[in-house]
Amino acid sequence: MTTNTPESSVSTCTKKCLDIHTIKQYLPHRYPLLLVDRVLDWESGKSITAVKNVTVNEEFFNGHFPHKPVMPGVLMIEAMAQTAAILSFLTMDIKPDENSVVYFVGIDNARFKRPVEPGDQLVMNVEILRVSRGIWKYKAVGSVDGQTAVEAELMCTIRSATDASQPAGK
């Protein structure tokens, strides 16, 4: 039996770790679109590190692609956005209610550097760049085995579901 030390295992939690049960209190997503499995660490108003364990049992692998399963880039971006949403709610020190909705406002400079395949652990590092007039901007990087797989600047806003049909500036 081997023992993982914090240096050898990305899954090691700090005291600011969030398990899946706690994550579900911050995100309305459920299978198959809940794309954050664990939060490893976070600092209010600054950054968060979370993981998505990618398994061959993921529904999207049935069609993307049966002969060479690869996690769709749009889902890597979504996983980082979900991580960013958790950081926003933790920073505001609130848990969203059933009327809270987080929407994309923009995605800039998205780059895909390597495929993410079954068996990979996508480690997502998200930092808040700024918050202005209800718009949160983040720098997000997803990596596998220390190699960048995806990176982007994400912009999101949090709305009430009853106000969700209104444009962001109103």
CSV table of all heavy atoms in Angstrom, one decimal, residues 37 92 99:
chain,number,residue,atom,x,y,z
A,37,ASP,N,-16.0,18.0,-9.1
A,37,ASP,CA,-16.1,16.9,-8.2
A,37,ASP,C,-15.6,17.3,-6.8
A,37,ASP,O,-16.1,16.7,-5.8
A,37,ASP,CB,-15.3,15.7,-8.7
A,37,ASP,CG,-15.9,15.1,-9.9
A,37,ASP,OD1,-17.2,15.0,-10.0
A,37,ASP,OD2,-15.2,14.8,-10.9
A,92,MET,N,-19.0,36.0,-1.7
A,92,MET,CA,-20.1,36.8,-1.2
A,92,MET,C,-20.6,36.3,0.1
A,92,MET,O,-21.5,36.9,0.7
A,92,MET,CB,-21.2,36.9,-2.3
A,92,MET,CG,-20.8,37.6,-3.5
A,92,MET,SD,-22.2,37.8,-4.7
A,92,MET,CE,-22.6,36.0,-5.1
A,99,ASN,N,-33.7,30.5,-7.0
A,99,ASN,CA,-33.9,31.5,-8.0
A,99,ASN,C,-32.6,32.1,-8.5
A,99,ASN,O,-32.6,32.9,-9.4
A,99,ASN,CB,-34.8,32.7,-7.4
A,99,ASN,CG,-36.2,32.3,-7.3
A,99,ASN,OD1,-36.8,31.7,-8.2
A,99,ASN,ND2,-36.8,32.6,-6.2
